[in-house]
Amino acid sequence: MEEWKEYELSELIDEISMGPFGSNIKVECFTDSGVPVLNGSNLVGLKLNEDKFNYVTEEKAASLGKSNAYRNDIVITHRGTLGQIVYIPQDSKYEHYVISQSQFRVKCNQKVLPEYLVYYFHTRIGQHQLLSNASQVGVPALARPTTTFQKLRIVLPPLANQQKIARILSSLDDKIELNNKINANLEEQAQALFKNWFVDKYDKDGVIGDYCTVKSGFAFKSAWWQDKGIKVIRIGDIEQGCLSLETCAHVTNDKTDIAKDFLVHGGDLVIAMTGATIGKFSMIPKTQEPILVNQRVGKFFLGDNPIEKVPFIYCTLKQEEVITEFINRGQGSAQPNISTGDILSIPCWIPSDNEIDNFNKTIQPMFETIISNQEENRKLSGLRDSLLPKLMSDEIEVGEVII
């Protein structure tokens, strides 16, 4: 049997190139369609995220030469949000993309699968290597990114084993992606119904406070943070969607006594009250463990059976007019802020209780499916993340894994 071998990354790369200089791709270059331009939001996860793009013309993209990335290329952030690394899959929406000035691209040779390499650099050891030459002075950045990246070393299994390992991990990611697509479709249906039932028929003659109350979370002290214990949702967790709950801080169990009013459960809604993503909200995934919310994270109180009332307020918060209100009310200071009073006084549609109840009952099965899919994704992500380092280090053999 072939053995695992150690390589310097330069031995695995056919081509590596930086993104364009900022002066070569300004905002005024953007168009409504054409060749997508990547930014940090496209590099979330392992595979290119294609939810949203800016574009440049084909002619402009051609003028940027090696700053174009193609299917099977790897794209890495070298400035800003460090640690981001994704591959462009064979079934990507577009044939090629322009990387940003904060990224560089890599084309692998036949010794390594690009998806395998990306999975490796999402392990704890891989991330440590990737960030080993990071500077935290000013904007976080990697020093001499393409040079130092090529000098990193990795132990690889034979190509056939790489394919098997990548297949196992990607099967989990594919299921997660399918669940996300199902949830997006269900949410789209819910929003269409909300618009048809209320937005197109009623004036905004009520406020959010007519339907619920909101409280800012407990002021936990930074000295209380632990590696394990009761999870606490912070502003940054909501910015990341707060679906996996993996980014949460922890406090000791006794803190639930002093912060018991700020416990949240599956189906509850929380909202960011500070920062760049002010007004962004998340639905808590189904979970049996207690979860608390930190200060400046607002918890919605919707009565004794909140899950039965979530659909109406969730769809309300998703409306562009409401989102604009959040943004406008948060302006006026260096750090945008909204108060609970701001949230509760935002105008919205408040039809009769009977109409709201009928809407919630109609939409409820969709939301139960969304919550169920979120919970399955949490488990699948946990399984993938536990398998990832073990498969990459040969701690367990491919044949031992049953999905």
Side-chain angles (χ1 to χ4, degrees):
M1 291 180 63
E2 292 185 73
E3 296 182 353
W4 292 51
K5 295 181 182 179
E6 185 176 32
Y7 296 89
E8 186 176 82
L9 285 188
S10 61
E11 301 176 72
L12 307 174
I13 295 173
D14 271 347
E15 190 175 287
I16 185 168
S17 56
M18 297 284 286
F21 289 111
S23 58
N24 287 337
I25 184 166
K26 298 179 179 179
V27 173
E28 51 262 35
C29 295
F30 293 155
T31 58
D32 293 333
S33 61
V35 179
V37 180
L38 304 184
N39 59 41
S41 67
N42 303 120
L43 270 63
V44 176
L46 297 119
K47 188 164 58 174
L48 185 69
N49 182 336
E50 304 198 73
D51 287 347
K52 187 177 181 181
F53 292 114
N54 291 313
Y55 300 88
V56 293
T57 64
E58 286 282 357
E59 292 76 16
K60 181 62 179 178
S63 74
L64 298 173
K66 291 186 177 181
S67 294
N68 282 262
Y70 298 83
R71 289 166 181 160
N72 284 333
D73 278 3
I74 293 171
V75 184
I76 304 164
T77 299
H78 66 79
R79 185 180 64 177
T81 307
L82 302 182
Q84 292 183 315
I85 176 170
V86 302
Y87 69 96
I88 302 175
Q90 285 280 13
D91 61 352
S92 63
K93 291 181 182 178
Y94 298 87
E95 291 185 1
H96 65 115
Y97 306 77
V98 173
I99 62 175
S100 81
Q101 61 180 324
S102 299
Q103 300 163 353
F104 65 95
R105 55 169 282 269
V106 173
K107 185 176 294 297
C108 299
N109 61 28
Q110 298 301 311
K111 294 178 183 177
V112 63
L113 292 178
E115 56 265 46
Y116 181 92
L117 204 58
V118 168
Y119 276 117
Y120 171 78
F121 281 111
H122 276 267
T123 65
R124 184 175 58 84
I125 294 174
Q127 281 282 295
H128 177 74
Q129 285 183 275
L130 196 60
L131 302 176
S132 59
N133 68 321
S135 169
Q136 299 299 327
V137 179
V139 178
L142 303 178
R144 299 178 296 114
T146 57
T147 300
T148 52
F149 183 75
Q150 292 182 86
K151 291 185 179 297
L152 299 179
R153 304 190 70 85
I154 182 174
V155 178
L156 286 180
L159 195 61
N161 278 32
Q162 292 179 41
Q163 292 169 336
K164 291 175 182 177
I165 290 171
R167 195 178 301 124
I168 290 170
L169 297 172
S170 64
S171 68
L172 296 171
D173 284 325
D174 289 345
K175 177 57 178 170
I176 291 171
E177 186 176 349
L178 176 61
N179 282 343
N180 286 336
K181 287 180 178 178
I182 292 171
N183 283 0
N185 180 264
L186 289 172
E187 186 169 321
E188 188 176 328
Q189 292 180 47
Q191 294 299 333
L193 285 171
F194 182 88
K195 185 175 186 299
N196 179 259
W197 282 37
F198 305 121
V199 178
D200 294 341
K201 295 179 181 180
Y202 294 94
D203 293 326
K204 290 188 293 182
D205 54 1
V207 293
I208 288 177
D210 292 336
Y211 192 71
C212 62
T213 58
V214 178
K215 290 184 181 178
S216 179
F218 187 80
F220 290 96
K221 298 177 181 179
S222 58
W224 293 351
W225 299 140
Q226 306 282 327
D227 292 333
K228 296 181 180 180
I230 305 300
K231 290 180 178 176
V232 179
I233 298 172
R234 299 169 294 178
I235 290 290
D237 303 314
I238 297 179
E239 292 174 357
Q240 297 173 25
C242 205
L243 300 180
S244 70
L245 301 176
E246 296 304 317
T247 61
C248 291
H250 299 82
V251 291
T252 52
N253 290 10
D254 61 296
K255 297 299 185 294
T256 55
D257 295 331
I258 60 174
K260 59 186 178 182
D261 289 341
F262 304 99
L263 281 166
V264 290
H265 306 89
D268 279 350
L269 296 177
V270 291
I271 188 167
M273 299 172 63
T274 301
T277 55
I278 194 168
K280 184 171 183 178
F281 65 98
S282 295
M283 185 162 57
I284 305 301
K286 187 178 180 181
T287 177
Q288 298 301 315
E289 61 183 319
I291 301 169
L292 297 159
V293 288
N294 197 26
Q295 60 184 334
R296 309 309 299 156
V297 173
K299 173 189 172 181
F300 284 86
F301 289 81
L302 297 166
D304 295 334
N305 296 299
I307 190 61
E308 294 179 1
K309 295 187 174 183
V310 160
F312 180 81
I313 194 67
Y314 184 97
C315 291
T316 298
L317 296 173
K318 273 283 186 176
Q319 299 303 306
E320 284 295 329
E321 300 164 63
V322 175
I323 293 171
T324 300
E325 277 282 349
F326 278 121
I327 295 171
N328 290 341
R329 293 183 183 218
Q331 293 176 345
S333 62
Q335 173 77 329
N337 284 280
I338 52 173
S339 66
T340 54
D342 288 328
I343 297 171
L344 296 175
S345 64
I346 287 178
C348 68
W349 308 266
I350 301 291
S352 69
D353 290 344
N354 186 54
E355 287 174 299
I356 293 176
D357 287 343
N358 286 338
F359 175 78
N360 284 335
K361 288 175 183 177
T362 301
I363 301 299
Q364 183 62 27
M366 297 183 187
F367 275 75
E368 288 177 352
T369 300
I370 290 173
I371 293 172
S372 177
N373 285 343
Q374 288 177 347
E375 169 63 4
E376 184 177 28
N377 279 0
R378 187 183 70 83
K379 292 178 179 178
L380 290 170
S381 296
L383 176 59
R384 180 201 61 206
D385 293 345
S386 66
L387 285 175
L388 189 55
K390 295 176 181 178
L391 289 168
M392 295 288 172
S393 63
D394 202 25
E395 183 180 334
I396 58 174
E397 295 183 6
V398 176
E400 297 177 11
V401 180
I402 300 175
I403 301 299

